[in-house]
Amino acid sequence: NAGVTQTPKFRILKIGQSMTLQCTQDMNHNYMYWYRQDPGMGLKLIYYSVGAGITDKGEVPNGYNVSRSTTEDFPLRLELAAPSQTSVYFCASSSPGRVGETQYFGPGTRLLVL
Amino acid sequence: RKEVEQDPGPFNVPEGATVAFNCTYSNSASQSFFWYRQDCRKEPKLLMSVYSSGNEDGRFTAQLNRASQYISLLIRDSKLSDSATYLCVVNSVNDYKLSFGAGTTVTVRA
């Protein structure tokens, strides 16, 4: 049982490039999330999904896209990378009805946009 | 106004000391409350849930004050391994989402 896995662990992008951050969970959780965490700041929700085929915007969705074709996978797409997207990205999953108690995070992807 | 606010600290305490800190939340409809722990450059992990009557988990005690809209965490007999950032987390009426505070940093020194 690997929990939540994320790839890559670290990436440097040039301004204007695009990339996909991968996230997979093996706990059969319905809910999945993408957060970003800037230094000294709290986690900010980018997008979330309550099940396969259903996604919705969080607080800071601009510049990102997601898809959820399976229960296990929830990739985050960055189009036209900008320096403001330099951050640590965490994927998480949880069970309905017990979101706070069952929210498991992946190890994070550190992204630097130059 | 931020949904969840915390004193960022840092709280620097010697081993064996007691340290306590609070978190305030703005949405009076918030239903569930948690403390998460985040070690440097790692992912957050659930430390404990916070119940209305207050609860303990070993050396950790959490309290909830709904009238004043704050929760607290107290750590007794601090260990070096307690050094971390503690995130206050609130689950509002919407079941799907959690709101995270920016964290309170605790450093326990030998």
Side-chain angles (χ1 to χ4, degrees):
Chain A
N1 189 333
V4 180
T5 56
Q6 290 183 238
T7 56
K9 290 185 179 179
F10 179 69
R11 182 78 182 266
I12 299 174
L13 280 183
K14 294 182 180 178
I15 293 172
Q17 288 185 319
S18 60
M19 75 166 293
T20 299
L21 283 67
Q22 302 291 346
C23 175
T24 301
Q25 54 94 7
D26 62 0
M27 296 173 283
N28 202 34
H29 282 165
N30 285 16
Y31 294 176
M32 294 189 74
Y33 311 81
W34 275 106
Y35 297 93
R36 60 176 287 173
Q37 186 176 36
D38 300 325
M41 306 291 285
L43 290 154
K44 294 185 179 177
L45 184 64
I46 305 171
Y47 271 94
Y48 67 98
S49 168
V50 298
I54 306 169
T55 63
D56 209 345
K57 296 178 181 179
E59 299 173 72
V60 290
N62 292 344
Y64 307 94
N65 277 300
V66 294
S67 60
R68 183 101 182 266
S69 56
T70 67
T71 300
E72 294 79 20
D73 300 307
F74 191 40
L76 177 72
R77 178 84 177 164
L78 275 72
E79 306 282 3
L80 298 174
S84 60
Q85 293 178 306
T86 293
S87 190
V88 180
Y89 292 83
F90 289 104
C91 178
S93 70
S94 61
S95 290
R98 298 182 61 222
V99 171
E101 293 161 326
T102 63
Q103 180 125 151
Y104 293 96
F105 287 82
T109 294
R110 283 167 175 72
L111 177 66
L112 178 61
V113 181
L114 298 173
Chain B
R1 183 182 172 186
K2 292 181 181 178
E3 228 176 306
V4 181
E5 296 205 62
Q6 295 184 247
D7 180 347
F11 288 78
N12 292 304
V13 299
E15 270 188 297
T18 295
V19 59
F21 42 89
N22 293 341
C23 151
T24 58
Y25 60 94
S26 60
N27 188 346
S28 59
S30 298
Q31 295 184 331
S32 305
F33 308 90
F34 308 90
W35 284 103
Y36 275 60
R37 172 190 169 127
Q38 186 173 26
D39 294 307
C40 186
R41 301 175 71 81
K42 296 288 186 76
E43 70 273 23
K45 293 182 180 179
L46 176 67
L47 176 68
M48 61 193 298
S49 302
V50 185
Y51 302 122
S52 297
S53 55
N55 50 296
E56 280 188 16
D57 184 358
R59 297 179 293 105
F60 297 84
T61 301
Q63 297 280 354
L64 168 63
N65 185 318
R66 284 190 184 273
S68 300
Q69 294 184 208
Y70 75 85
I71 67 175
S72 64
L73 182 67
L74 181 146
I75 307 173
R76 288 187 306 277
D77 188 23
S78 299
K79 311 291 184 191
L80 294 175
S81 58
D82 294 333
S83 296
T85 297
Y86 292 86
L87 307 178
C88 176
V89 182
V90 175
N91 186 195
S92 295
V93 175
N94 185 327
D95 169 57
Y96 311 146
K97 296 185 283 187
L98 299 175
S99 296
F100 288 80
T104 296
T105 298
V106 173
T107 301
V108 182
R109 62 182 188 274

